[in-house]
Amino acid sequence: MKILVTGGAGFIGSNFIHYYLNAHPEDQVVNFDVLTYAGHIESLKDLEGNPSYRFIKGDITDAQAVKDAMQGVDWVVHFAAESHVDRSIIDPMQFVKTNVLGTAVLLDAALSNKVKRFHHISTDEVFGQLGESDAPFKETTPYSPRTPYSASKAGSDHLVRAYFETYNLPITISNCSNNFGPFHDPEKLIPRFITNLLEGKKVPLMGKGENIRDWVYVYDHNKAVDIILQKGVIGETYCIGGEEKTNLEVTKKILEILGLGEDRLEFVEHRLGHDLRYAIDDSKIKALGWSPEKSFEERLEETINWFKENEWWWKPLKKDRPNVDRSAQKSYG
Ligand SMILES: NC(=O)c1ccc[n+]([C@@H]2O[C@H](COP(=O)([O-])OP(=O)(O)OC[C@H]3O[C@@H](n4cnc5c(N)ncnc54)[C@H](O)[C@@H]3O)[C@@H](O)[C@H]2O)c1
């Protein structure tokens, strides 16, 4: 089996390649990634020289490069995207280009190449936001994206489904909630907070930390993707979720694990279009035999330990990008 993984140098994609080659050492993985600011090829340096792994530097919006990379591929697992909501508010066009056009280019090449499966990685953010007592998102929830990021991901999901309905391209889609774990870019909430605290800084929490997110450990997400590849039904969507926590609960837990006090907290303004709550009903993927292996707390502790032990990975990223903490500059309390 030869698998083309797009965006394999990113957070979830790099964890997926590690997971997949460990679970299926007989298969071949080709990582196709253009290495934007979010692509960290060093996350895969342990695979250098591994005959089952190959890296191609290429852009998913480049039809010729995609066509070449797709030769002889059985499955495509499509992670590549612009993924940071704050950046989508500043530069929405880049999100439309990568997430919508890039997905269309891949679908076209997958169809011409007769790939046996195109698995599209999407987000629960396409469903919009929930009120505190609303039922969680599930596969049949209508789309209602509220940011350029989630709208561009929604557009890509619709294209993937259209290629199934119109051309019978064998697709599956997964809509997952917020991931955390190793190799998570320090511009995102959990790694930003962990690394800020390890550097002796404060953590910028939006609003009063009341926003609720559903957290999945990246390993469990990737295990779900593998299960969908092995046992999923063609044409189906699967929602993947974990545990619901307010941002304040997550922050307090990080402080507690690190033995630090709430004086390290700093409240900052909400971002534009800040969704209140996401939650997932994951009964459909659970029916395929999936469930998270450990609790959120256990995984958070493992993640903190990973960041403590892998400063070589995250320190240069924070140094090169001082604006990662720009939300802290708008502090009001
Ligand atoms: N991070 C989450 O919590 C989360 C949750 C649900 C779904 N998702 C989805 O999972 C996927 C991966 O997310 P992530 O957090 O790992 O993202 P990421 O930003 O860490 O990684 C994205 C990767 O895609 C690559 N890329 C970007 N544009 C490209 C292009 N034009 N051509 C080729 N490669 C390109 C980047 O270089 C990077 O390696 C995305 O599709 C995202 O929407 C993420």
Side-chain angles (χ1 to χ4, degrees):
M1 193 70 79
K2 184 172 168 186
I3 302 181
L4 182 72
V5 174
T6 70
F11 164 45
I12 308 177
S14 60
N15 277 284
F16 177 78
I17 292 173
H18 283 122
Y19 176 95
Y20 193 87
L21 284 175
N22 200 34
H24 308 279
E26 68 288 358
D27 287 355
Q28 302 285 316
V29 169
V30 177
N31 174 12
F32 186 86
D33 194 304
V34 79
L35 300 182
T36 66
Y37 80 95
H40 310 305
I41 202 63
E42 58 281 9
S43 305
L44 297 149
K45 71 174 186 166
D46 56 315
L47 294 177
E48 271 167 29
N50 183 328
S52 302
Y53 170 75
R54 192 173 143 222
F55 173 63
I56 299 175
K57 188 169 190 292
D59 190 326
I60 57 168
T61 65
D62 177 344
Q64 187 58 50
V66 166
K67 192 173 160 216
D68 294 345
M70 201 83 71
Q71 298 301 316
V73 162
D74 297 295
W75 291 348
V76 176
V77 184
H78 175 33
F79 292 92
E82 288 291 343
S83 71
H84 191 43
V85 179
D86 285 338
R87 287 180 188 259
S88 83
I89 294 164
I90 295 163
D91 185 10
M93 289 309 161
Q94 186 58 44
F95 281 66
V96 174
K97 184 176 177 219
T98 300
N99 299 355
V100 182
L101 178 64
T103 300
V105 168
L106 283 166
L107 287 165
D108 233 36
L111 191 64
S112 327
N113 215 57
K114 298 188 171 49
V115 302
K116 299 184 192 83
R117 179 77 71 89
F118 187 99
H119 182 74
H120 178 58
I121 305 289
S122 193
T123 165
D124 60 350
E125 298 187 31
V126 297
F127 300 122
Q129 67 172 344
L130 293 167
E132 265 171 46
S133 51
D134 289 341
F137 301 132
K138 58 181 183 182
E139 290 76 8
T140 51
T141 304
Y143 277 34
S144 182
R146 300 176 73 246
T147 65
Y149 164 65
S150 52
S152 65
K153 289 297 292 186
S156 68
D157 292 14
H158 291 316
L159 277 167
V160 174
R161 184 149 302 288
Y163 268 68
F164 167 67
E165 299 289 351
T166 310
Y167 307 111
N168 290 321
L169 184 71
I171 63 104
T172 39
I173 299 176
S174 50
N175 293 89
C176 188
S177 60
N178 283 38
N179 284 223
F180 68 104
F183 302 114
H184 200 182
D185 196 299
E187 73 176 357
K188 304 281 175 88
L189 188 137
I190 287 184
R192 174 153 49 135
F193 284 14
I194 295 171
T195 56
N196 272 16
L197 293 168
L198 292 177
E199 287 181 317
K201 295 184 195 156
K202 292 196 172 196
V203 292
L205 192 58
M206 287 185 192
K208 298 199 166 21
E210 71 275 31
N211 296 59
I212 299 168
R213 297 289 176 263
D214 182 303
W215 290 101
V216 179
Y217 188 59
V218 65
Y219 169 92
D220 289 314
H221 176 189
N222 284 327
K223 195 173 134 193
V225 172
D226 191 20
I227 289 174
I228 295 168
L229 288 169
Q230 312 297 333
K231 299 200 242 172
V233 176
I234 300 294
E236 291 289 311
T237 287
Y238 296 87
C239 285
I240 305 163
E243 291 184 41
E244 267 188 77
K245 305 274 173 208
T246 65
N247 288 343
L248 185 61
E249 283 171 330
V250 171
T251 310
K252 283 186 173 173
K253 190 45 86 182
I254 296 172
L255 288 168
E256 185 192 314
I257 293 169
L258 287 170
L260 296 169
E262 287 181 30
D263 56 314
R264 302 290 288 277
L265 256 174
E266 182 174 38
F267 292 97
V268 301
E269 281 175 37
H270 278 293
R271 70 158 71 104
L272 302 171
H274 200 190
D275 291 336
L276 175 66
R277 174 177 168 237
Y278 309 132
I280 290 273
D281 173 349
D282 54 9
S283 40
K284 186 170 170 184
I285 181 76
K286 281 194 164 141
L288 286 187
W290 175 84
S291 62
E293 287 182 12
K294 294 185 190 175
S295 71
F296 172 79
E297 276 79 7
E298 286 171 282
R299 290 306 199 183
L300 186 61
E301 198 159 345
E302 288 176 15
T303 302
I304 290 174
N305 287 336
W306 187 89
F307 277 92
K308 275 186 182 163
E309 287 159 15
N310 290 283
E311 287 190 354
W312 67 270
W313 185 82
W314 60 264
K315 278 230 155 140
L317 297 179
K318 289 201 89 153
K319 206 164 87 220
D320 294 348
R321 282 186 271 145
N323 70 339
V324 149
D325 270 342
R326 76 184 173 285
S327 53
Q329 291 156 16
K330 297 186 206 152
S331 174
Y332 63 77

